[in-house]
Amino acid sequence: MPVVDFIHALAFDDLPPAVRSAAQRCLLDLVGVAAAGRKTDLARIALNHAARQFGPGEGRGARMLFDGRRASEVGAAFAGASLIDSYDAHDGHALTKGHAGVAILPAILAYWDAGGLAIDDRELLTAIVLGYEIATRAGIALHASACDYHTSGAWNAIACAGLGARLLGLSNAATREALGIAEYHGPRSQMMRCIDYPTMVKDGSGWGALAGVSAAFLAADGFTGAPAITLEAPEQAAIWADLGRRWTIEEQYFKPYPVCRWAQPAIEAARGLMLDHGLTGADVADVEVRSFAAAIRLASARPATTEEAQYSLPFPLASAILRGRVGADEIVGAGLADAEVLALSERIRLVVDPEIEARFPAERFAVVTLTTRDGRTVTSPWTVARGGPLNPLDSSEIVEKYRSATAHLGPVRAHLIENTVLALGTGPAHAVDHLRDLVLEAADAPANPARTIVG
């Protein structure tokens, strides 16, 4: 089976330089998002739940991301993916309509920390790339074969199982079983239910990581699974035929703002209009957004929770117009009660545009019309979100996003992580256990400045 061979045979030297750089960017961005997620109620609840309900069991277990407490490998993966998912600023892929890295990084860390595995910087980058290649294709395959739109956990579980098969040294036969178990047990939860009723269930990635890591350990013990049809069905063969030639990790988008990607074209359109016409928030009296139907369903105008704010279009758009920013302060705590933002949010009109809808999901546009208090009306062109392959965030923007998200870690620890990640794979292979420790210790743990900074 080609996917199984790819899982065990992929090597660092197979990765083009651009792919290695993409893995570094994904890793740095995910670590930053995880650090920011510590501010959310969802993360607090999920981490405490894992500590209470998913204890280390017979082994020493694995530390939970930016928490330091130990849980089972399954519990640590669940907690880490839930943590990243809690702060909706992680990378994604247009055709999966979801997110791969959110589950991949916590799964790698869980296997690594619990098993005492000797992972050097090259193997870390290779594992990250492997996870994205499996998850992204599995997501595309699931959308092509299932009648409903499932959360990311339904398919990123398969990547977590594949990573376990590689890192735990499973046989090819056991690897196939692990993939089948993960696909069968991956949470096929309906994404649009959370769009319409935003709560902490979110994108299902915590349960995807749990199912995928469980699948690898079950297969290692001889448990068998149904064949993974997203990988093995003849009609899916074309999706997997270019493994090792086309690198889907280069197709991921990075989010400038911690809200649903579908809301971000409208934010960019409004910001562009205001810049081009010299407008301030005080100038804006009326707002209309035309976009695709899924974006228009992000209709919560008065969010009471972080989740409602993240799955809203009018609220973050109003914040961008009035405050010039959409960040943690706007979607957590007091930012949710900003009276001026809420008042404008309620006045924003959302309209489905049939032409824009016809081009979703491959293309995601919004058109924003602003009416000023002195009676002028200005309309944006068709606008997409920033951060995709065609209009990427440059490296300095990704670094700045990371630095903003990790400021509460303190400069020593945040800089140690940043410098280590950006040096991965750039010289001779070297151990990176210090990087693992930096991201697994509690968020408020003091950093040791004597740790090695590579590069």
Side-chain angles (χ1 to χ4, degrees):
M1 182 177 163
V3 178
V4 171
D5 293 338
F6 183 76
I7 287 170
H8 292 290
L10 183 65
F12 179 78
D13 290 340
D14 297 327
L15 309 179
V19 172
R20 300 173 188 175
S21 295
Q24 288 175 299
R25 289 194 298 274
C26 288
L27 176 56
L28 188 70
D29 191 66
L30 288 166
V31 170
V33 172
R38 287 289 310 191
K39 302 175 183 178
T40 66
D41 288 339
L42 190 166
R44 173 182 54 79
I45 293 168
L47 289 161
N48 287 340
H49 176 76
R52 294 167 183 154
Q53 306 300 332
F54 297 103
E58 295 179 351
R60 68 175 192 151
R63 287 168 291 177
M64 295 184 288
L65 189 56
F66 284 122
D67 184 89
R69 290 176 292 175
R70 290 191 178 273
S72 66
E73 293 93 321
V74 167
F78 162 81
S82 298
L83 170 63
I84 295 171
D85 206 16
S86 75
Y87 190 70
D88 201 352
H90 46 302
D91 60 40
H93 188 276
L95 295 182
T96 67
K97 296 188 284 187
H99 312 278
V102 55
I104 289 167
L105 176 60
I108 292 171
L109 290 169
Y111 294 125
W112 186 7
D113 196 49
L117 305 178
I119 293 181
D120 61 27
D121 65 323
R122 296 187 173 201
E123 176 61 12
L124 176 58
L125 290 179
T126 305
I128 290 170
V129 173
L130 174 66
Y132 276 87
E133 298 311 308
I134 295 175
T136 302
R137 287 176 171 81
I140 295 170
L142 183 60
H143 285 307
S145 59
C147 62
D148 204 356
Y149 170 20
H150 297 103
T151 59
S152 300
W155 46 267
N156 60 31
I158 299 171
C160 294
L163 287 164
R166 178 187 177 97
L167 297 173
L168 299 174
L170 270 59
S171 68
N172 281 13
T175 299
R176 182 170 179 258
E177 302 295 348
L179 298 171
I181 297 165
E183 186 197 68
Y184 193 85
H185 285 148
R188 293 203 173 187
S189 36
Q190 298 81 32
M191 185 67 225
M192 296 310 293
R193 288 177 61 190
C194 191
I195 296 298
D196 293 335
Y197 304 99
T199 66
M200 293 181 182
V201 295
K202 298 199 76 173
D203 198 35
S205 290
W207 295 99
L210 182 153
V213 173
S214 293
F217 283 108
L218 285 167
D221 288 339
F223 199 92
T224 57
I229 58 174
T230 51
L231 283 68
E232 298 192 29
E235 59 269 25
Q236 309 289 6
I239 294 173
W240 301 95
D242 57 2
L243 272 171
R245 298 194 306 276
R246 167 191 165 213
W247 301 94
T248 64
I249 194 171
E250 296 184 284
E251 301 169 6
Q252 309 297 314
Y253 60 73
F254 293 92
K255 289 184 178 183
Y257 316 111
V259 298
C260 181
R261 181 70 169 176
W262 297 345
Q264 299 198 21
I267 295 173
E268 295 300 342
R271 289 171 66 98
L273 275 179
M274 295 179 71
L275 180 63
D276 291 344
H277 296 274
L279 302 176
T280 69
D283 296 321
V284 176
D286 184 80
V287 184
E288 179 183 271
V289 178
R290 303 183 69 86
S291 194
F292 50 94
I296 299 308
R297 284 173 72 169
L298 301 167
S300 177
R302 295 188 67 86
T305 67
T306 294
E307 289 70 41
E308 289 179 0
Q310 290 176 326
Y311 288 126
S312 167
L313 192 162
F315 181 79
L317 176 57
S319 179
I321 291 170
L322 290 175
R323 304 295 175 238
R325 61 185 183 272
V326 183
D329 290 343
E330 285 65 54
I331 64 167
V332 177
L336 296 171
D338 188 318
E340 290 183 321
V341 170
L342 290 169
L344 178 58
S345 178
E346 286 190 307
R347 299 200 307 272
I348 294 175
R349 296 187 307 282
L350 306 178
V351 180
V352 175
D353 187 299
E355 292 184 68
I356 293 176
E357 169 65 15
R359 296 170 71 164
F360 178 79
E363 297 176 291
R364 304 162 181 203
F365 295 97
V367 175
V368 171
T369 298
L370 302 179
T371 301
T372 64
R373 297 191 183 279
D374 60 9
R376 288 175 292 158
T377 297
V378 293
T379 299
S380 75
W382 283 33
T383 304
V384 298
R386 287 192 309 126
L390 298 180
N391 59 348
L393 302 183
D394 63 36
S395 295
S396 65
E397 289 180 284
I398 292 175
V399 168
E400 182 53 39
K401 176 186 171 185
Y402 163 82
R403 290 176 178 172
S404 176
T406 57
H408 62 289
L409 299 179
V412 173
R413 185 174 180 186
H415 291 160
L416 281 167
I417 295 170
E418 176 187 330
N419 292 346
T420 303
V421 169
L422 295 181
L424 296 175
T426 59
H430 58 268
V432 282
D433 289 353
H434 64 290
L435 175 61
R436 178 198 62 199
D437 295 340
L438 284 166
V439 301
L440 292 180
E441 292 171 354
D444 57 358
N448 178 3
R451 278 197 174 101
T452 301
I453 303 176
V454 298

